Amino acid sequence: MISISTLKRFLAEQDGNAVIDWTVLLAGSVMMALAVVMTITDNVDSITEDTSDRMESIEVNPTGSA
């Protein structure tokens, strides 16, 4: 069983709190990065197709005159 003095000492120490803070910040950063990557990769196919369609629709004047 945990004694009262051990519990008081645990609550008074700040090292554990800093570790928890950094762990939460790191987890949040990783989740945000994954969300950005998933958003970008989901739209890559449609962006590529749209760009290809626009490039194909441009008429090129081979004579150079306007």
Side-chain angles (χ1 to χ4, degrees):
M1 185 105 189
I2 298 175
S3 67
I4 299 293
S5 62
T6 305
L7 182 61
K8 285 181 182 180
R9 189 172 27 135
F10 174 76
L11 294 174
E13 289 181 6
Q14 296 295 319
D15 294 338
N17 293 336
V19 171
I20 291 171
D21 290 344
W22 282 108
T23 304
V24 170
L25 284 171
L26 179 62
S29 298
V30 168
M31 289 175 60
M32 185 172 56
L34 286 173
V36 168
V37 168
M38 294 303 291
T39 301
I40 290 172
T41 56
D42 285 345
N43 294 326
V44 167
D45 291 333
S46 65
I47 292 170
T48 303
E49 187 175 323
D50 291 344
T51 303
S52 177
D53 291 343
R54 287 183 187 194
M55 290 178 68
E56 289 174 356
S57 69
I58 296 173
E59 293 183 25
V60 177
N61 189 353
T63 62
S65 61

